[in-house]
Amino acid sequence: MKNKFIKTFGDIPEIFKNEQFRLVAILLIIMAVVSDVLAFAFNWIFGVIFLLILFLVVAWAFTTLTQIRAQTSDYISDLTYRIQRDEQDALIRMPIGILLFNEETEIDWVNPYLQSYFGKADILGRKLNEVDPDLAKMIEENIDQKGTTEIQWHDNYFNLLIQKDMRAVYLLDITHYAEIQKKYDDSQLVIGQVFLDNYDEVTKSLNDTEITNLDSFVANTLSNWAQKFGMFLKKVAEDRYFVLAYTGILNEIENEKFKILDVIREKTSKGNSPLTLSIGIAYGDENLSELSEQSQNNLDLALGRGGDQVVVRKVDGQARFYGGTTDPMAKRTRVRARMISQALRDLMGQSKQIFVMGHQRPDMDSIGACLGIRRIAAMNKKQCWVVIDQDNLHSDVARLMDELKKDEKINASIITSEEAIEKADQEDLLIMADHSKRSISASPDLYDKLENRLMVIDHHRRGEEFPENPMLVYIEPYASSTCELITEMFEYQARESEPINRIEATAMLTGIVVDTQSFSQHTGTRTFDAASYLRALGADQALSSHFMKENVDSYMNRSHLIDRVEFMDDGNAICAGEDDRSYDPVTAAQAADSLLDVSGVEASFAITKRSEGSVGISARSSGKRNVQLIMEQMGGGGHLSVAATQIEDTTVSKVREELLEILHDQQENEEEAEES
């Protein structure tokens, strides 16, 4: 319509080319004409005068609007020029780095600000990875990001923004703000608690002078350590210290892996008074009460894992572990066993019925411990149900289950997870034996139902996944097995109660034998006392040996797995199964045990695919290396010398590569520690 109008009337004034203005002008002209016609109708003289005035007004309006139009056009032109000029100047002068690259990742253009980071080098037309590999890698990693990403480049911090479609990179220097943030982060308050693990045991055999000298040495060593890093250290008990610091100081201490643990251990050992430290550290909250409680929880976790280590955790964060490289020294007493036994009797007396369960894929220690708890409940005249994961039982446990069927009372008390959930109510007690993790329990659903009435009895180091509010906890990493812990409780039960029978005693003895590798590992005087007690109660050594016999398939699979072993120069041995062949986890554990008998092997790892599709690792150590720390990095746990993990949605080959990388990093860290 507009084009047709212009074509019809030729070249019209600029102001009438605006369609909206043209419409308004036409309406005003129509109104003026109508008004003039009315004026002529009223009086022709008045109409002539009105017409003259109308022409003058139109002429004045046309001239004024033309001038305004011209002035506006000039202003816009000038403004456009200034904007374009400032845009170009900004690209050159603004403190934001700009880089343009082509499809071959060659640099097309950089502004002078970014050029200053490359010096006088001629970079145009060269590939990004040739000019600066670090920047090229960061661009490649973040090219699909929609927003900005904070990066560190050339000792500065930048907000990186990439427009992928335009192949443009923007770098905003935020070093000043990053430094402010770092100062804030480094000034957060840290609360720590230091505990001398075995102070009571060590000082029992010392005279007053020796105790004073030992106290003085420890106090001076810890004070020098605190002074070195600028911390506040206060002794609050003969075996406990309180620490205040900042997060910046904590980072420095973590960088040196808490060497104070090694210093105290090594120097006190030379004086025949070997002390170890456990430290719990918390940060990340302005509430001092929360920090104090978290630091105590972290210390409890360190002690539950065997001591001689540090647990650092931000409030509501993940724990970081340091130390724990030595086998925990036995320090439990019979007094504690008696107190736990009495507390267990009280809990059973307050409960309608008892449920006890071990872990998934139960071993002899797990089953034996459950049977021992069932017998203690019977001694206290309480019904106890044994919840067992009866799928995929190993041959030794399967033989034990067949033997248990001969005892009507025991067989009647063994139930499935589904039956347990149906029977349980809120007044019952659940005991977790030989584990403390919901995820590996025989019945996680039963755990959820009775999590407010829960007890844990275990000999494994305590991990992060732990019940929040258990009613009673008996974790002793110094014990050989859970069966050993429970055997000691029998001595404090009512004498008139029916004693443990032959099959129960045999099962518990077998659990001790299996977990100690026939009394060759993790044994102390208490272990032999427990075994002797069970033998006196009728434990059948021949029947125990029958349970532990391998079947032909298990023997052949173990031999095949060992045949695939790789011996490393650093003392590690790894045998990895095939990606498409499943192995029983007990077979893998036996293969790892066997490899420790080879000269020069300090740690062994058996990696196999499980029947349910996951990949498991059985790790063993002679005691010189902590396989628990390695397995924890892969989502598992265990002891210093016996640990394991299970990984979903992966292959044996991928797990092997991940393990090799962790072992390589560990070796590098050890070498750096020795050099420093």
Side-chain angles (χ1 to χ4, degrees):
M1 179 72 179
K2 177 180 176 182
N3 293 336
K4 185 177 180 181
F5 177 85
I6 294 173
K7 186 176 180 180
T8 303
F9 294 96
D11 188 17
I12 63 175
E14 188 69 24
I15 59 174
F16 289 108
K17 292 182 179 179
N18 186 296
E19 186 174 350
Q20 293 177 334
F21 181 80
R22 187 169 62 247
L23 179 62
V24 172
I26 292 172
L27 290 175
L28 290 175
I29 290 172
I30 293 174
M31 292 174 62
V33 170
V34 171
S35 300
D36 194 46
V37 169
L38 292 175
F40 270 105
F42 177 74
N43 187 306
W44 69 270
I45 298 175
F46 183 75
V48 171
I49 296 172
F50 185 82
L51 183 61
L52 291 173
I53 294 173
L54 181 62
F55 277 123
L56 291 174
V57 170
V58 170
W60 174 83
F62 178 80
T63 303
T64 302
L65 289 175
T66 301
Q67 291 176 350
I68 293 174
R69 173 78 179 189
Q71 292 173 357
T72 303
S73 178
D74 291 341
Y75 173 77
I76 292 174
S77 297
D78 180 62
L79 182 62
T80 301
Y81 167 75
R82 289 172 57 194
I83 290 174
Q84 291 175 346
R85 184 192 63 187
D86 290 344
E87 282 180 349
Q88 294 174 356
D89 191 57
L91 286 174
I92 296 173
R93 298 177 180 275
M94 70 184 342
I96 296 179
I98 304 175
L99 181 149
L100 304 178
F101 60 94
N102 58 27
E103 295 179 352
E104 286 74 34
T105 68
E106 295 172 341
I107 300 175
D108 285 339
W109 180 81
V110 294
N111 66 340
Y113 180 80
L114 187 59
Q115 178 69 53
S116 64
Y117 288 92
F118 297 107
K120 296 181 179 180
D122 184 10
I123 63 173
L124 298 183
R126 296 175 58 189
K127 288 185 176 294
L128 271 171
N129 57 2
E130 294 177 359
V131 173
D132 194 307
D134 293 336
L135 180 60
K137 182 179 179 181
M138 286 183 279
I139 292 174
E140 181 181 357
E141 291 175 349
N142 296 281
I143 196 166
D144 293 320
Q145 294 289 337
K146 299 299 183 183
T148 60
T149 305
E150 185 175 320
I151 64 170
Q152 185 175 3
W153 179 59
H154 281 231
D155 298 326
N156 285 15
Y157 292 89
F158 296 88
N159 270 342
L160 172 68
L161 176 64
I162 303 175
Q163 290 183 311
K164 185 177 180 181
D165 54 339
M166 298 176 61
R167 294 190 290 278
V169 178
Y170 304 92
L171 289 163
L172 174 63
D173 193 333
I174 58 168
T175 303
H176 175 68
Y177 305 103
E179 289 175 349
I180 294 175
Q181 182 66 45
K182 187 176 186 303
K183 286 181 180 179
Y184 172 77
D185 293 338
D186 288 347
S187 63
Q188 299 299 295
L189 191 63
V190 173
I191 290 181
Q193 300 195 42
V194 181
F195 182 74
L196 304 180
D197 297 332
N198 51 334
Y199 180 83
D200 291 339
E201 287 73 20
V202 169
T203 55
K204 279 180 182 178
S205 60
L206 302 180
N207 58 41
D208 290 345
T209 301
E210 291 171 331
I211 292 175
T212 301
N213 292 337
L214 181 63
D215 289 344
S216 178
F217 168 76
V218 172
N220 288 336
T221 304
L222 289 175
S223 295
N224 292 337
W225 174 63
Q227 188 174 5
K228 174 184 175 182
F229 290 100
M231 298 184 293
F232 171 79
L233 179 76
K234 178 68 175 178
K235 186 175 183 177
V236 294
E238 60 183 8
D239 59 355
R240 189 182 291 266
Y241 292 79
F242 177 77
V243 175
L244 278 178
Y246 295 113
T247 45
I249 295 172
L250 176 61
N251 292 334
E252 294 179 23
I253 301 174
E254 287 191 84
N255 287 336
E256 68 161 25
K257 310 296 183 185
F258 284 89
K259 282 186 178 180
I260 189 65
L261 298 178
D262 300 328
V263 172
I264 293 292
R265 184 192 328 106
E266 293 171 4
K267 291 190 175 182
T268 55
S269 295
K270 291 178 181 179
N272 296 320
S273 303
L275 281 177
T276 59
L277 299 180
S278 288
I279 305 176
I281 293 178
Y283 67 100
D285 199 310
E286 295 181 357
N287 188 318
L288 298 183
S289 177
E290 287 286 338
L291 282 181
S292 179
E293 182 179 350
Q294 182 68 67
S295 67
Q296 181 60 54
N297 292 339
N298 293 347
L299 177 60
D300 292 340
L301 177 56
L303 293 171
R305 289 164 52 86
D308 190 25
Q309 58 191 281
V310 183
V311 176
V312 180
R313 176 159 47 189
K314 184 177 182 180
V315 175
D316 298 328
Q318 295 293 318
R320 302 189 295 277
F321 302 99
Y322 299 90
T325 57
T326 59
D327 216 359
M329 291 176 286
K331 64 177 184 180
R332 78 184 195 277
T333 64
R334 292 190 182 277
V335 174
R336 176 164 168 76
R338 178 175 57 80
M339 292 174 60
I340 292 294
S341 181
Q342 181 60 48
L344 176 59
R345 290 178 60 184
D346 293 342
L347 281 178
M348 287 182 170
Q350 300 166 11
S351 306
K352 289 178 60 177
Q353 54 186 352
I354 318 299
F355 292 87
V356 59
M357 64 178 177
H359 49 74
Q360 298 169 8
R361 295 184 172 274
D363 55 16
M364 294 300 293
D365 188 37
S366 176
I367 298 293
C370 290
L371 293 176
I373 292 295
R374 193 205 74 85
R375 173 54 62 184
I376 291 176
M379 289 177 170
N380 289 277
K381 298 179 173 53
K382 288 291 182 179
Q383 173 64 55
C384 180
W385 304 102
V386 180
V387 184
I388 297 179
D389 174 18
Q390 301 188 33
D391 296 331
N392 303 314
L393 296 178
H394 192 255
S395 57
D396 56 349
V397 178
R399 293 190 190 98
L400 172 60
M401 296 300 293
D402 290 338
E403 193 69 25
L404 291 176
K405 292 177 181 178
K406 300 176 183 179
D407 188 309
E408 293 183 3
K409 290 184 179 179
I410 296 178
N411 188 49
S413 65
I414 298 176
I415 59 176
T416 64
S417 172
E418 292 75 15
E419 292 173 324
I421 294 170
E422 186 176 346
K423 292 177 180 292
D425 64 33
Q426 299 303 315
E427 297 181 11
D428 297 334
L429 175 67
L430 173 62
I431 299 175
M432 299 172 68
D434 199 37
H435 74 294
S436 60
K437 296 181 179 181
R438 174 196 179 278
S439 59
I440 63 172
S441 288
S443 176
D445 292 334
L446 181 61
Y447 172 97
D448 294 338
K449 190 170 184 178
L450 297 177
E451 62 179 337
N452 293 323
R453 290 188 57 80
L454 185 67
M455 176 184 178
V456 176
I457 304 178
D458 193 14
H459 73 113
H460 298 99
R461 295 190 183 201
R462 175 176 170 177
E464 284 193 77
E465 184 186 348
F466 193 80
E468 287 189 9
N469 297 301
M471 301 181 72
L472 185 62
V473 175
Y474 190 26
I475 294 182
E476 293 289 358
Y478 325 101
S480 68
S481 58
T482 309
C483 285
E484 178 187 329
L485 295 175
I486 294 174
T487 298
E488 291 184 339
M489 295 183 186
F490 286 117
E491 300 178 27
Y492 307 105
Q493 302 305 314
R495 298 297 180 185
E496 64 275 8
S497 303
E498 181 181 353
I500 186 173
N501 63 25
R502 167 180 166 273
I503 184 61
E504 291 168 332
T506 302
M508 296 184 71
L509 177 61
T510 307
I512 295 175
V513 171
V514 170
D515 271 24
T516 60
Q517 297 295 306
S518 298
F519 300 99
S520 63
Q521 295 182 5
H522 309 298
T523 55
T525 57
R526 305 281 286 278
T527 308
F528 291 104
D529 288 346
S532 177
Y533 180 81
L534 293 171
R535 285 285 286 147
L537 291 174
D540 190 332
Q541 188 66 45
L543 184 58
S544 176
S545 299
H546 168 69
F547 291 151
M548 292 187 293
K549 284 184 178 180
E550 283 188 271
N551 57 39
V552 175
D553 290 339
S554 176
Y555 179 82
M556 295 299 293
N557 286 335
R558 178 165 62 90
S559 299
H560 174 73
L561 199 54
I562 293 175
D563 189 50
R564 297 174 59 86
V565 67
E566 302 172 76
F567 293 104
M568 309 295 178
D569 294 335
D570 55 1
N572 293 314
I574 300 176
C575 57
E578 299 87 344
D579 286 333
D580 56 354
R581 179 174 176 177
S582 299
Y583 291 84
D584 187 277
V586 177
T587 299
Q590 291 172 342
D593 289 331
S594 300
L595 289 173
L596 284 183
D597 295 332
V598 178
S599 176
V601 175
E602 295 180 357
S604 60
F605 305 87
I607 310 172
T608 58
K609 180 182 177 182
R610 302 287 174 83
S611 58
E612 69 275 13
S614 62
V615 175
I617 304 179
S618 291
R620 299 292 185 269
S621 168
S622 61
K624 294 183 179 180
R625 295 186 179 176
N626 192 336
V627 292
Q628 178 201 7
L629 298 180
I630 298 172
M631 291 298 96
E632 283 181 339
Q633 292 185 58
M634 304 184 74
H639 280 289
L640 179 143
S641 55
V642 179
T645 189
Q646 190 168 318
I647 306 171
E648 303 289 342
D649 301 324
T650 188
T651 64
V652 172
S653 301
K654 291 181 180 179
V655 172
R656 174 183 170 277
E657 292 300 322
E658 183 181 352
L659 176 61
L660 287 173
E661 185 176 346
I662 291 174
L663 293 175
H664 176 71
D665 292 342
Q666 185 187 57
Q667 185 178 8
E668 287 187 344
N669 292 335
E670 291 175 355
E671 291 174 353
E672 290 176 0
E674 290 176 359
E675 291 175 358
S676 60

